Amino acid sequence: MNRRVLLICLIVVTSAGSAAAADAGKQIVLQGGSNPGATACVTCHGVNGTGNAAAGFPRLAGLSASYLERQLEAFRLGTRTTAVMAPIAKALTGSESASVSEYYAHQHPPAPQTQAPPQQLAAGMRLAITGDWANGIPACVTCHGPAGQGIGGPYFPALAGQHASYTVSQIQAWKDGARTSDPINLMKSVAEALTQEQVEAVAAYFASLPALDKNTSAESVDALAELPPTHAEQTPADHSEGFIPPSEAEIPDNEFGRMVWLGKKVFVHTQQAASKYAGNALNCVNCHLDRGRLASSAPLWGAWPMYPAYRGKNDKVNTMTDRIQGCFTFSMNGSPPPGDSKVMTALLAYSYWLAQGAPTGVALPGSGYPDLPDPELAPSRERGRAVFEGNCALCHGAHGQGKKVDGAYWFPPLWGPDSYNWGAGMHRVNTAASFINANMPLGLGGELLTNQQAWDVAAYIDAHPRPQDPRYENSVEQTDERFHDHNCFYGESGGE
Amino acid sequence: MNRRVLLICLIVVTSAGSAAAADAGKQIVLQGGSNPGATACVTCHGVNGTGNAAAGFPRLAGLSASYLERQLEAFRLGTRTTAVMAPIAKALTGSESASVSEYYAHQHPPAPQTQAPPQQLAAGMRLAITGDWANGIPACVTCHGPAGQGIGGPYFPALAGQHASYTVSQIQAWKDGARTSDPINLMKSVAEALTQEQVEAVAAYFASLPALDKNTSAESVDALAELPPTHAEQTPADHSEGFIPPSEAEIPDNEFGRMVWLGKKVFVHTQQAASKYAGNALNCVNCHLDRGRLASSAPLWGAWPMYPAYRGKNDKVNTMTDRIQGCFTFSMNGSPPPGDSKVMTALLAYSYWLAQGAPTGVALPGSGYPDLPDPELAPSRERGRAVFEGNCALCHGAHGQGKKVDGAYWFPPLWGPDSYNWGAGMHRVNTAASFINANMPLGLGGELLTNQQAWDVAAYIDAHPRPQDPRYENSVEQTDERFHDHNCFYGESGGE
């Protein structure tokens, strides 16, 4: 057999295996498992996994099998504590757990029904899509996928179409410690930051969304771009005395305002809205969190008032246009949008808009990435690997390759051909360490990792191969000598 | 004879006439005039017109003959009152006045000698070259020519090389009313605004300059560009609560600072520093007085914080780069500097620098040109002509053609092939009226002309022919309909 035939056979076998498992699963759903106490799932979750909103039983239909299986494991381990599910999960055998998970994963989720008031839904949508960075809350969709449809795999389940009552109860469980199965305490941290009003709003919003099956990225991107402004938007600032950019509700409804919205779209959905200039899989927002609003994450309102400025990197006075073009050349490994292109005008308009009221030429607190003290120990790639595997791989993949949903990157790759190149600022270990320390893991910046860990993991990440420096001349050695007189691994790894 | 030979003959005849007059003049200088009381000039002014610094007798050598003749006339008329000169001037016949003036105009001015302290000279230079707009004082050189060498003709004499004692006494005479021969009270107004310290400094500075003969524009331009910063520079603001741009002394001594200086050079000496983009005889500073610093004169610090912005003129969101390119296309009747050109970067850097501290997106008082109330009477070109001849022709020429020094424009032309074109903002009567009302005559903005006069003279100026609108399409009628739906004479005059 040649390789293609082998591949097809494998797919057929795998599908057949899943189907068989699902059949076995159905039997358990209807009649229970082989051990005493493994009662039929249908009682609470329904034969099609629709659950029961009034009783707070979750919808299981269409959730990923590995996620469902991991939950059964959590009930067994006690990292999820419920009087009902713990004994059932313990009574199910390993293969029964797998079968029943596979079965429910294959059920078609029902159309959502909601009677939540529009104002609550709008508040929930805002939280889901943009977060509440002033209180350290990242957007839910960052981890739960476009339109809340989940990322696939054992973590980050779909929230779309889930009963609001269940979502509310689970957020409470994270808060109370009744559920501790979240990796690196991500959900506990978020749950503790949410107000009860926010919890109910975001649960209502996700309950109102259809649990989409496939190819929804484009749709959800459109939805994001059309997100209506809210009136209570706060600036991202754990730096509470810092600069407050204007709320999107203040963007005027005119030609200028439409250019600002386009700029935001390009900034957040660079892959879709500026595809011809993007040479990798990143979006501007990957390095400039919260739509370029977040303090200590190189916010646009911090950059706009500081240009034109001289930069040693290209040894000239750079306009803001030059600076943005630099981002596209290096961080985006692409080609710079021309100065008179609509994409550039839009990015300038969006940057300018975010800086409304900021004094020209004044470096605001929270600009750029904060200085990070030198580490006590020289950064170690080996220690960094452990930090990465324990904290970063969850989203960025075991090999730094990021994660895709429906074929498109959702979590950004940190190295390899789809990441920033050897000319980007982020390839400098000190820059990456500073960004990581202030902002990673998402929502836990400065809380989870020590300074030393930030340095170590930055070294680990930045030592990996990535696209060549576009200023490459003749050889890695020569390019290294000319352009890489800073804290980086270019000379060592730039030729890979 | 063909026309060229005729021209040469005319020149020879004219030169011979001047030489003959100068010979006659020398006799009067040495021996006095034909009437009693017309004593020999040599006594006070010397045979070579060097004057006498200690006694306060002015240097006459090299001043223009028409200026000298006009002074003798002023002594006769009593618009200059001195016990010594009045009877002498009255005793000289008309032809003797002309001869003696011609004679002294042909003498070579001596090299200057000065012992003024450097600090005083620096203060004088600043005043001479940039004025003191916070107190309504324009730069002396604006009227007295590059490096104070005079404009030629009966007004605006050379100040370079004049004895300081004499200059001081004359400024006092303007103040006291002992000298009232200044057109439209220009010098009285300036003299009253000057402090005694400023008077002494500027007199000392001009005394220290050589009275240059010819072709000095290039040199003087270089001198202007290299003007060292002072530490006490104030913002132009009769709007005393207005925004204060930083002093040039604060421009840092680094790459960025050098780009700011270049931007200032381009802005003030556009003809020299950005010649390839200038299609007429104007400089940016002609519409943006005091180096782009003056409130109500479209200061750069007012414009910078307001872009990107939508403009109806080109129906798109304009970046600051677009906006500046518009100036070159229309007001400069040239070609726009590319967005990535050094000229553009320099102008952006200079604009940005002037706006240091200005809040992004906030319209500052003094931005643009101030709104001017509608006139009581419809603007009249005929009334405007009288206003022009009485107030504007002095500098801008009887035919709006501006005035040259050593072959290069010093006073800007207001119409004709070397002025702004039919697409420039200034061709709108309301815009010109607003500019004129706020700023013209120079240093007397809002003081000399009534609102009605500003409207009238704006109509007079803007009805004259000028370079075609670069957006011209097919016919004046079609271009008028498409682009000139505003207060202007394009349809009437645009085809001229």
Side-chain angles (χ1 to χ4, degrees):
Chain A
M1 286 192 295
N2 66 23
R3 293 181 69 174
R4 180 172 296 183
V5 173
L6 179 62
L7 186 64
I8 291 170
C9 289
L10 278 171
I11 290 170
V12 170
V13 168
T14 308
S15 300
S18 293
D23 284 348
K26 185 168 188 181
Q27 191 173 334
I28 298 160
V29 164
L30 294 174
Q31 299 170 16
S34 55
N35 292 328
T39 54
C41 314
V42 65
T43 321
C44 296
H45 294 291
V47 65
N48 295 320
T50 52
N52 184 319
F57 301 147
R59 186 268 291 178
L60 304 183
L63 295 179
S64 82
S66 59
Y67 172 74
L68 291 171
E69 224 181 318
R70 186 167 175 275
Q71 303 318 303
L72 289 170
E73 177 73 5
F75 290 125
R76 276 193 288 275
L77 293 172
T79 54
R80 293 191 66 168
T81 56
T82 79
V84 176
M85 277 306 298
I88 297 173
K90 283 175 183 165
L92 286 168
T93 67
S95 71
E96 284 170 345
S97 294
S99 300
V100 77
S101 298
E102 199 68 47
Y103 169 78
Y104 274 130
H106 277 78
Q107 301 311 302
H108 291 291
Q113 293 186 315
T114 183
Q115 291 168 348
Q119 206 169 351
Q120 188 184 42
L121 289 178
M125 175 161 65
R126 167 65 48 179
L127 197 64
I129 295 178
T130 67
D132 173 13
W133 280 99
N135 294 303
I137 303 168
C140 311
V141 299
T142 312
C143 292
H144 290 280
Q149 64 169 317
I151 293 294
Y155 308 105
F156 309 126
L159 301 178
Q162 188 54 275
H163 303 305
S165 56
Y166 175 72
T167 303
V168 169
S169 74
Q170 292 311 298
I171 293 174
Q172 191 59 46
W174 298 118
K175 270 193 213 187
D176 295 344
R179 189 169 172 179
T180 59
S181 58
D182 51 332
I184 57 171
N185 284 325
L186 277 174
M187 271 311 298
K188 182 176 179 63
S189 150
V190 170
E192 285 176 342
L194 288 166
T195 66
Q196 191 58 27
E197 195 179 354
Q198 288 178 316
V199 169
E200 286 165 14
V202 78
Y205 170 68
F206 280 119
S208 76
L209 291 185
L212 300 163
D213 286 319
K214 286 212 176 286
N215 300 319
T216 54
S217 297
E219 278 179 58
S220 57
V221 161
D222 286 347
L224 296 188
E226 287 163 18
L227 182 68
T230 60
H231 294 273
E233 190 173 23
Q234 272 291 315
T235 309
D238 21 15
H239 310 251
S240 55
E241 309 98 47
F243 177 77
I244 309 239
S247 157
E248 286 174 3
E250 296 170 52
I251 297 176
D253 181 20
N254 57 24
E255 285 297 323
F256 171 74
R258 283 184 277 283
M259 190 60 82
V260 173
W261 281 112
L262 176 62
K264 183 197 147 180
K265 185 171 176 177
V266 169
F267 197 81
V268 175
H269 306 293
T270 321
Q271 293 295 317
Q272 288 81 17
S275 56
K276 67 192 281 198
Y277 306 117
N280 57 22
L282 303 183
N283 298 297
C284 305
V285 74
N286 292 140
C287 294
H288 308 270
L289 300 178
D290 190 27
R291 303 157 283 155
R293 300 172 63 94
L294 188 62
S296 301
S297 180
L300 290 176
W301 50 258
W304 175 266
M306 300 309 289
Y307 285 87
Y310 173 80
R311 297 186 75 214
K313 182 168 182 173
N314 53 14
D315 189 27
K316 66 170 189 175
V317 173
N318 286 223
T319 62
M320 189 67 174
T321 299
D322 292 323
R323 185 64 193 84
I324 291 173
Q325 288 175 332
C327 281
F328 276 88
T329 303
F330 301 110
S331 300
M332 299 298 300
N333 192 39
S335 55
D340 59 356
S341 63
K342 196 168 180 185
V343 161
M344 182 57 76
T345 300
L347 286 170
L348 293 173
Y350 181 55
S351 305
Y352 164 74
W353 169 256
L354 285 178
Q356 294 297 290
T360 303
V362 175
L364 294 171
S367 293
Y369 302 128
D371 283 338
L372 189 61
D374 286 341
E376 286 188 28
L377 308 173
S380 151
R381 293 156 67 173
E382 265 316 295
R383 284 196 309 269
R385 174 198 296 268
V387 175
F388 184 86
E389 289 172 351
N391 300 279
C392 318
L394 178 69
C395 295
H396 294 291
H399 305 291
Q401 78 278 22
K403 278 193 186 166
K404 293 182 180 182
V405 176
D406 295 330
Y409 278 101
W410 194 252
F411 290 119
L414 302 185
W415 62 82
D418 292 333
S419 190
Y420 51 91
N421 68 36
W422 280 107
M426 201 60 88
H427 97 281
R428 301 187 189 200
V429 177
N430 53 312
T431 303
S434 169
F435 170 77
I436 291 166
N437 180 260
N439 297 298
M440 290 287 130
L442 203 66
L444 295 172
E447 292 177 29
L448 198 65
L449 303 183
T450 63
N451 282 8
Q452 182 70 50
Q453 284 178 313
W455 279 101
D456 290 342
V457 76
Y460 176 70
I461 291 167
D462 275 342
H464 280 86
R466 54 188 67 260
Q468 184 53 270
D469 190 329
R471 299 165 298 183
Y472 182 84
E473 275 179 10
N474 302 323
S475 68
V476 166
E477 289 68 31
Q478 194 171 321
T479 309
D480 188 30
E481 191 172 326
R482 172 136 185 219
F483 296 113
H484 292 270
D485 183 19
H486 44 234
N487 188 348
C488 79
F489 290 92
Y490 179 75
E492 192 174 332
S493 308
E496 291 186 54
Chain B
M1 288 191 295
N2 67 21
R3 294 181 68 173
R4 180 172 297 183
V5 173
L6 179 63
L7 185 65
I8 291 171
C9 288
L10 279 171
I11 291 170
V12 170
V13 168
T14 308
S15 300
S18 294
D23 282 347
K26 185 168 188 180
Q27 194 174 331
I28 299 159
V29 164
L30 295 174
Q31 301 169 14
S34 53
N35 293 327
T39 53
C41 315
V42 64
T43 322
C44 296
H45 295 289
V47 64
N48 295 319
T50 50
N52 184 320
F57 301 146
R59 187 268 291 177
L60 304 182
L63 296 179
S64 83
S66 59
Y67 172 75
L68 291 173
E69 227 183 313
R70 187 168 175 277
Q71 302 318 302
L72 290 170
E73 177 73 5
F75 290 124
R76 276 192 289 273
L77 292 172
T79 54
R80 292 190 69 169
T81 56
T82 78
V84 176
M85 278 304 298
I88 297 174
K90 283 173 183 164
L92 285 167
T93 67
S95 73
E96 284 171 347
S97 294
S99 298
V100 76
S101 296
E102 199 67 49
Y103 170 78
Y104 275 131
H106 278 77
Q107 301 311 301
H108 291 292
Q113 292 185 317
T114 183
Q115 289 167 350
Q119 206 170 350
Q120 188 183 42
L121 289 177
M125 174 160 67
R126 167 64 50 180
L127 197 63
I129 294 178
T130 67
D132 174 13
W133 280 100
N135 293 303
I137 304 169
C140 311
V141 298
T142 312
C143 291
H144 289 281
Q149 63 169 317
I151 293 294
Y155 308 105
F156 308 128
L159 301 179
Q162 188 54 275
H163 304 305
S165 55
Y166 174 72
T167 303
V168 169
S169 73
Q170 293 310 298
I171 293 173
Q172 190 61 46
W174 298 118
K175 269 193 211 186
D176 295 344
R179 189 169 173 179
T180 59
S181 57
D182 52 330
I184 58 172
N185 286 326
L186 278 173
M187 271 310 298
K188 182 175 178 64
S189 149
V190 170
E192 285 175 343
L194 289 165
T195 65
Q196 191 58 27
E197 195 179 352
Q198 287 179 316
V199 169
E200 286 165 13
V202 78
Y205 169 67
F206 280 118
S208 77
L209 291 185
L212 299 163
D213 287 317
K214 289 214 175 285
N215 300 318
T216 54
S217 298
E219 278 179 56
S220 58
V221 161
D222 285 348
L224 297 187
E226 286 163 17
L227 182 69
T230 61
H231 293 275
E233 190 172 25
Q234 272 291 314
T235 308
D238 22 16
H239 309 251
S240 56
E241 310 96 48
F243 177 77
I244 308 238
S247 157
E248 287 175 2
E250 295 170 51
I251 298 176
D253 181 19
N254 57 24
E255 285 297 321
F256 170 74
R258 282 183 278 282
M259 190 59 82
V260 172
W261 281 112
L262 177 62
K264 183 197 147 181
K265 186 172 177 178
V266 170
F267 196 80
V268 175
H269 306 293
T270 321
Q271 293 294 318
Q272 288 80 18
S275 56
K276 69 192 279 196
Y277 305 116
N280 57 21
L282 303 183
N283 297 298
C284 306
V285 74
N286 292 141
C287 294
H288 308 269
L289 300 179
D290 191 27
R291 302 157 283 156
R293 300 171 63 93
L294 188 62
S296 299
S297 180
L300 291 175
W301 49 258
W304 175 266
M306 301 309 288
Y307 285 87
Y310 173 81
R311 296 186 77 214
K313 181 167 182 173
N314 52 14
D315 190 28
K316 66 170 190 175
V317 173
N318 287 223
T319 62
M320 189 67 175
T321 298
D322 293 323
R323 185 64 192 85
I324 292 173
Q325 288 175 332
C327 281
F328 276 88
T329 303
F330 301 109
S331 301
M332 299 300 299
N333 192 39
S335 55
D340 59 355
S341 63
K342 196 168 181 187
V343 161
M344 182 58 75
T345 300
L347 285 170
L348 293 172
Y350 182 55
S351 305
Y352 163 74
W353 170 256
L354 284 179
Q356 295 297 289
T360 303
V362 175
L364 295 171
S367 294
Y369 302 128
D371 283 338
L372 188 61
D374 286 341
E376 287 189 26
L377 307 174
S380 152
R381 293 157 67 173
E382 266 316 297
R383 284 196 309 269
R385 175 199 294 270
V387 175
F388 185 85
E389 289 171 351
N391 300 278
C392 318
L394 178 71
C395 295
H396 294 291
H399 306 291
Q401 77 277 22
K403 279 192 187 167
K404 294 183 178 180
V405 176
D406 295 331
Y409 279 101
W410 193 253
F411 289 120
L414 302 185
W415 61 83
D418 291 334
S419 189
Y420 52 90
N421 68 35
W422 281 107
M426 201 60 88
H427 97 281
R428 302 188 189 200
V429 177
N430 54 312
T431 303
S434 168
F435 169 78
I436 291 165
N437 181 260
N439 297 297
M440 290 288 129
L442 203 66
L444 295 172
E447 292 178 30
L448 197 65
L449 303 183
T450 64
N451 281 8
Q452 182 69 50
Q453 286 179 312
W455 279 100
D456 291 341
V457 76
Y460 175 71
I461 291 166
D462 275 343
H464 279 87
R466 54 187 66 261
Q468 185 52 270
D469 190 329
R471 298 164 299 182
Y472 182 84
E473 274 179 11
N474 302 323
S475 68
V476 166
E477 291 67 33
Q478 195 171 322
T479 309
D480 188 30
E481 191 173 326
R482 174 138 184 219
F483 296 114
H484 291 270
D485 183 19
H486 45 235
N487 188 348
C488 79
F489 290 92
Y490 178 75
E492 192 175 332
S493 309
E496 292 188 52

